[in-house]
Amino acid sequence: MKTKIANGLLIFLLIICVILLSFLAYRKINPPLTVTKDKSDRILPTAAAIKKLHPAEVNIQTTSILPEMADTSVSGTGCIIDPSGIILTNFHVVSKPELINITLRNGDSYKARIIVADPENDIALLKIENPQTGLPVIPFMRPWKLKSSEKSVTIGDIYSPHRVIPVGTLSRINRPFANVFIDLLQNASSNALINPGGSLIGMSMTVKQDFQGIRFAVPLHRIENILAKHLLPERMLSMSLGFYPEVGQDGKIIVRRVYPGSPAHRAGIRRGMEIYSFQGWNPKHDLIELSRRLIRLKPGDPVNLVLSTAGNVTLTPVPFADCPAHVPIFWKLGIFAANMDHHKAAILRYPFHTGVIVSGVSRSSGIKMFRQGDVIIGWNKKKIENMEDLKKEIENAPIGSRAFVTVYSPVLDPERGPSLIKHVYPVVIR
């Protein structure tokens, strides 16, 4: 009798164990729903921590005056990336402003101007006018420290609980988010991606106009390479070194491009050389800091570099006003150009031998009307006979200013054959 009772209890315990294990397995696959009174309670501590760590975040208020005399204002955000008051933001935030006002986290307000406009990558750099000294700068997360599971917050919507997305959604330019993430970034005015520690890890960008309201995100190392083409003495119109660097996936800093006739070219620097040392400092993994050091140089300061192949190199930057004409023409208009002459006119069968011929157009140029083969013959009703004439007209033109350019463009008519058409383009200095 006792044996039967013991066997019965054993069977009963086995059944209980089976039921319990089954229940645990079910709960693991189908976790219970939890009710949260306020969803933001789970996110706001992170946002609050980032807010505390981010005096480098600024508010951007732009005002544009339409032809109908109606005022239109746009708000956005940006990050201070250099103590001199350089701010990184999205181009669409400041694409058509008449006035730009910056408000710091401490409440101070300043006027700002555009110093870089890169519509293709949806990036703009602003410069605060007469800023206070020692402005806070956002830290940049180094790629090797980034965790695949790390979360990021778009600072354009720092108070929204719906703006927390994983780093895994970062993608290349022109590769959209998966559908599940599209709604997360709609209607966001400016989207620098920062982690809970307060470091910049990437940026969300609008890079295709046929995808209204959809953002694309790129990681930091690609942002650095984009900025490296703009954070240059030439772009700040102070002087010319004649090269710009880029960073690879391995963190090596190499020379991306060297401009013919520049101090760098004359010193023997060539594309592809790795930069081991800049003024005694090793720039590996830190392209942004190298860019900052470049723009802080002054004309005439000797620059000491150690590069692969070339070894020790010393070059002296020249004032921007003393640069060859093709340098300001490239930086202001985004085109490669040359003087028109009898030889070129004969080859191209052009009926004139003066002006400036467009030999190429930069992919990142914000000015889209120029094409290879165009000949610039006028600028604001002034005759342009050569590159020096064009340089005089544009070297002091501020970014965002407008001009009317007279251009002859080659066309091929199936019936009449090749011919030239005269255009007058309204150009905005990039």
Side-chain angles (χ1 to χ4, degrees):
M1 185 67 180
K2 291 182 179 181
T3 302
K4 289 183 179 181
I5 293 174
N7 290 338
L9 287 174
L10 181 59
I11 294 172
F12 177 76
L13 290 174
L14 289 174
I15 293 173
I16 294 297
C17 290
V18 170
I19 293 174
L20 181 60
L21 291 174
S22 300
F23 178 78
L24 293 175
Y26 173 80
R27 280 304 188 195
K28 187 175 182 179
I29 299 173
N30 300 284
L33 296 175
T34 58
V35 178
T36 304
K37 293 182 180 180
D38 185 358
K39 184 178 180 180
S40 63
D41 289 345
R42 296 176 294 162
I43 306 301
L44 285 180
T46 300
I50 294 174
K51 177 182 177 182
K52 183 178 179 180
L53 290 168
H54 261 283
E57 182 191 350
V58 301
N59 176 264
I60 301 170
Q61 186 78 27
T62 68
T63 303
S64 61
I65 303 176
L66 302 177
E68 299 81 17
M69 300 304 294
D71 291 344
T72 301
S73 297
V74 177
S75 294
T77 57
C79 299
I80 302 173
I81 64 171
D82 187 78
S84 64
I86 297 176
I87 295 169
L88 170 65
T89 188
N90 289 111
F91 173 76
H92 69 266
V93 174
V94 293
S95 59
K96 297 179 181 179
E98 296 292 338
L99 299 171
I100 302 176
N101 290 308
I102 302 297
T103 304
L104 305 185
R105 272 303 180 91
N106 62 8
D108 292 344
S109 295
Y110 298 91
K111 291 182 178 179
R113 59 185 175 88
I114 301 173
I115 57 174
V116 167
D118 189 340
E120 183 180 13
N121 293 301
D122 194 29
I123 275 183
L125 292 180
L126 312 179
K127 179 71 167 64
I128 295 176
E129 296 182 1
N130 302 317
Q132 65 187 43
T133 58
L135 289 175
V137 175
I138 189 170
F140 283 67
M141 171 64 75
R142 307 324 314 161
W144 65 89
K145 294 182 179 179
L146 195 60
K147 300 177 182 178
S148 61
S149 60
E150 188 145 21
K151 304 293 183 182
S152 64
V153 175
T154 60
I155 67 168
D157 300 87
I158 192 169
Y159 299 108
S160 171
H162 307 293
R163 295 294 190 256
V164 177
I165 60 176
V167 170
T169 63
L170 292 178
S171 63
R172 295 174 183 162
I173 293 176
N174 290 342
R175 182 188 296 174
F177 286 110
N179 292 335
V180 67
F181 294 113
I182 289 177
D183 291 336
L184 296 179
L185 294 175
Q186 287 182 340
N187 304 317
S189 59
S190 179
N191 299 298
L193 303 178
I194 52 181
N195 67 358
S199 296
L200 186 72
I201 63 173
M203 195 168 182
S204 181
M205 301 177 181
T206 302
V207 293
K208 278 204 169 186
Q209 296 189 6
D210 53 343
F211 285 97
Q212 293 293 333
I214 298 177
R215 303 295 187 265
F216 301 78
V218 295
L220 180 59
H221 77 273
R222 295 193 184 103
I223 299 297
E224 288 185 289
N225 283 330
I226 294 170
L227 292 180
K229 294 188 294 184
H230 300 300
L231 286 174
L232 293 172
E234 287 91 343
R235 203 65 184 86
M236 304 302 165
L237 309 183
S238 58
M239 60 184 167
S240 176
L241 288 168
F243 79 96
Y244 74 81
E246 73 174 6
V247 62
Q249 291 280 10
D250 56 2
K252 294 180 179 178
I253 308 294
I254 65 172
V255 176
R256 177 66 179 87
R257 172 171 286 177
V258 180
Y259 294 98
S262 66
H265 188 266
R266 293 195 300 269
I269 298 176
R270 296 295 181 265
R271 178 178 179 177
M273 291 183 177
E274 182 180 352
I275 302 174
Y276 296 141
S277 174
F278 173 84
Q279 305 289 59
W281 168 71
N282 183 357
K284 188 174 182 181
H285 300 298
D286 205 340
L287 184 58
I288 290 296
E289 180 57 28
L290 176 59
S291 300
R292 292 190 187 110
R293 296 189 183 207
L294 285 172
I295 64 175
R296 291 169 191 159
L297 292 172
K298 297 178 181 178
D301 285 350
V303 178
N304 300 306
L305 298 165
V306 180
L307 304 100
S308 60
T309 308
N312 292 295
V313 173
T314 300
L315 54 93
T316 302
V318 298
F320 192 71
D322 297 338
C323 294
H326 66 82
V327 175
I329 289 173
F330 172 80
W331 290 111
K332 289 285 191 175
L333 298 180
I335 61 174
F336 302 94
N339 285 326
M340 176 62 80
D341 54 31
H342 289 281
H343 179 66
K344 294 186 181 72
I347 293 175
L348 298 171
R349 299 180 182 179
Y350 285 178
F352 44 78
H353 57 270
T354 61
V356 173
I357 185 169
V358 177
S359 57
V361 180
S362 171
R363 291 181 58 190
S364 62
S365 172
I367 303 175
K368 301 298 183 182
M369 69 280 295
F370 290 123
R371 296 183 303 166
Q372 188 172 1
D374 286 350
V375 180
I376 300 172
I377 63 167
W379 185 278
N380 285 340
K381 297 183 178 181
K382 294 182 180 180
K383 189 175 182 179
I384 300 297
E385 293 191 348
N386 51 47
M387 299 267 284
E388 287 299 321
D389 288 346
L390 185 57
K391 175 188 174 183
K392 290 177 183 178
E393 295 299 326
I394 68 170
E395 66 178 347
N396 295 318
I399 292 175
S401 62
R402 295 171 174 82
F404 290 94
V405 184
T406 306
V407 175
Y408 277 110
S409 296
V411 296
L412 180 61
D413 190 306
E415 297 180 357
R416 299 180 182 180
S419 62
L420 292 171
I421 294 181
K422 186 177 180 180
H423 302 279
V424 178
Y425 292 140
V427 172
V428 178
I429 299 296
R430 74 188 193 107

